[in-house]
Amino acid sequence: EHDTGRRVAHLIAGRLLDYIEFDDGYAIAKMRPPAEILGKTLAAAAVRQRYGVTIVGLKPKAGGFAHAVPETTVASGDLIIVSGARAKVDTFAELP
């Protein structure tokens, strides 16, 4: 119940659409991308260097999920899968 409560809190608090937290403080989240990375490749956005999280997958507005690579461009309407330390994923998810 405690874990379910934390998961639901994450989902209703922001742009997160799904959230899984592991025992060791690691999390994976499905979310809408923050505005500051829209129109940029993952290499140009430097998400890992700036926020300490990794975008591991992306689902374009029209299409299925695919593994993210440095050349992947993030567009409005896309969904991203982000992984990393829970606190860093939470911080990234709070970006406007």
Side-chain angles (χ1 to χ4, degrees), residues 11 14 31 38 52 67 79 90 94:
L11 297 178
M31 61 182 281
L38 296 178
H67 292 284
L79 297 177
D90 291 349
E94 292 173 5

Side-chain angles (χ1 to χ4, degrees), residues 66-85:
H67 292 284
V69 295
E71 298 79 25
T72 300
T73 300
V74 181
S76 179
D78 289 351
L79 297 177
I80 56 176
I81 304 295
V82 179
S83 68

Side-chain angles (χ1 to χ4, degrees), residues 43-86:
V47 171
R48 187 178 304 165
Q49 294 81 6
R50 294 174 67 199
Y51 299 102
V53 298
T54 301
I55 297 176
V56 296
L58 181 134
K59 181 182 186 289
K61 194 173 192 176
F65 276 100
H67 292 284
V69 295
E71 298 79 25
T72 300
T73 300
V74 181
S76 179
D78 289 351
L79 297 177
I80 56 176
I81 304 295
V82 179
S83 68
R86 181 191 52 78

Side-chain angles (χ1 to χ4, degrees), residues 18-37:
D18 204 353
Y19 185 89
I20 300 169
E21 184 178 336
F22 298 91
D23 291 337
D24 59 355
Y26 188 82
I28 297 177
K30 177 172 73 171
M31 61 182 281
R32 293 177 191 88
E36 72 179 62
I37 69 169

